[in-house]
Amino acid sequence: MRSQPVEPARRPLQQGDRSFAHAAYRALLVEVNLTPKPGLVDRHNNGAHRDMSLGHFYRSARAIGIWLPRFVRQGRDDAHRPAAEQLLRLRPLGLACENHMFQATGGVNTHKGSVFSLGLLCAAFGRLSPRQQPVDAAALCAEVALMCRGLVARELQQHNALQTAGQRLFAEHGLSGARGEAESGFERVINGALPLYRQRLLAGCDEQTALMDSLLWLMANNDDTNVASRGGIEGLRWLQRRAGELLAQGGARGSQGIDRLRQFDADCIRRNLSPGGSADLLIVTWLLAQ
């Protein structure tokens, strides 16, 4: 039996801090259970993946969930420090959380992008909570943007050793991936996916339909490095066009919408395309909606 990571004794988290960390954990489960998702692991199939299944994602979420309150606490402990210092101070936690995820999945990368985004948002919540100001989606994303200012320039422009797929895609095509999303303060979520999600709910859609349409919007508008690394720029543009067409045809509503999604899923599997970056942003979308 694997031992759990030992955490040093520190003052207990407040109820709001625990609630936010738990919502971040739930966001991981909400995303993976959404079905059918084009090219992604869901309750029907493993999408374009041969190395991971629904069980991997459940184990991964549980492993990451243990660490999310620690990101909140780190942000709270560092609330008096400049935002520019926060990212460096979070890195040891991020690496430890990633390692725990890989232990839980047998080395499969299920949620590396979400460790990054959720870790940032949890730390931002911790930083903002002591300030006695309303903590809403916009405030959280603005704090993340401050924490990540200059990240793309530092890690993709100035010191790009072309060692990772993300570095190569930035050098060849200018795709900034998860770093760019964070540095923008999750601009695509705040100005696109989140308003659409809320709009769909207000119009009477159930949560699954609202989430699926938000995912389609993200797939149509996000330069997803996961897709580009598997299918090149041509594959990315094909997926973006197809997602936009489905959204224009009515999205996930009704039996026709679900049938079109299932066909899109089959086509993504055939092309070996998986929009994992958009799935990560959907997790952010649902969390911020709470």
Side-chain angles (χ1 to χ4, degrees):
M1 181 176 175
R2 256 189 217 101
S3 60
Q4 298 294 344
V6 177
E7 182 179 8
R10 303 170 80 173
R11 66 178 181 274
L13 283 174
Q14 297 184 10
Q15 181 58 40
D17 296 342
R18 289 195 297 271
S19 295
F20 188 84
H22 185 66
Y25 160 71
R26 285 181 60 208
L28 295 168
L29 299 178
V30 166
E31 183 279 323
V32 75
N33 282 313
L34 182 64
T35 304
K37 292 195 303 292
L40 295 159
V41 172
D42 59 25
R43 289 181 286 109
H44 282 175
N45 60 47
N46 298 339
H49 298 276
R50 296 180 180 87
D51 61 342
M52 60 182 77
S53 65
L54 196 64
H56 285 97
F57 279 83
Y58 288 160
R59 293 193 293 276
S60 174
R62 286 195 295 271
I64 292 167
I66 294 170
W67 291 86
L68 294 173
R70 307 178 196 195
F71 286 101
V72 178
R73 179 180 284 122
Q74 188 69 55
R76 181 176 281 275
D77 289 348
D78 294 344
H80 64 288
R81 292 178 176 271
E85 296 179 6
Q86 190 66 75
L87 192 59
L88 190 61
R89 294 177 64 79
L90 290 174
R91 283 216 157 117
L93 265 183
L95 289 171
C97 181
E98 268 185 30
N99 288 336
H100 196 200
M101 175 199 76
F102 282 124
Q103 286 177 16
T105 63
V108 176
N109 176 13
T110 43
H111 283 127
K112 189 172 180 178
S114 287
V115 170
F116 179 62
S117 58
L118 294 182
L120 287 170
L121 285 165
C122 284
F125 185 88
R127 288 179 62 82
L128 293 174
S129 293
R131 299 180 192 175
Q132 306 302 315
Q133 297 170 347
V135 180
D136 58 14
L140 285 167
C141 289
E143 190 70 15
V144 168
L146 288 173
M147 290 158 54
C148 295
R149 182 177 289 170
L151 180 61
V152 170
R154 286 194 305 273
E155 297 194 2
L156 293 179
Q157 289 176 344
Q158 296 165 3
H159 304 292
N160 192 338
L162 301 178
Q163 293 178 337
T164 68
Q167 288 175 328
R168 290 190 293 272
L169 286 168
F170 181 82
E172 293 170 11
H173 305 292
L175 307 187
S176 58
R179 294 176 182 90
E181 295 299 326
E183 187 172 351
S184 77
F186 299 112
E187 187 272 338
R188 283 188 178 88
V189 172
I190 283 290
N191 293 327
L194 183 57
L196 177 63
Y197 175 72
R198 289 171 169 161
Q199 178 189 344
R200 289 290 194 265
L201 291 178
L202 285 172
C205 291
D206 60 85
E207 185 182 59
Q208 295 293 290
T209 301
L211 282 170
M212 192 65 76
D213 283 358
S214 300
L215 177 61
L216 285 172
W217 187 93
L218 287 165
M219 290 169 63
N221 292 277
N222 176 33
D223 285 333
D224 195 322
T225 53
N226 291 58
V227 176
S229 66
R230 284 171 167 260
I233 288 297
E234 298 79 10
L236 173 61
R237 300 305 177 218
W238 172 85
L239 182 133
Q240 289 176 322
R241 284 194 303 272
R242 188 75 181 276
E245 288 167 0
L246 261 67
L247 204 53
Q249 291 168 349
R253 281 171 287 192
S255 58
Q256 282 189 325
I258 296 300
D259 287 344
R260 284 191 286 261
L261 278 168
R262 287 177 177 149
Q263 184 58 54
F264 192 13
D265 183 32
D267 292 341
C268 286
I269 292 170
R270 191 177 69 253
R271 289 171 176 257
N272 194 35
L273 300 178
S274 175
S278 295
D280 290 340
L281 292 177
L282 187 69
I283 289 168
V284 171
T285 302
W286 186 88
L287 174 59
L288 292 177
Q290 308 313 303

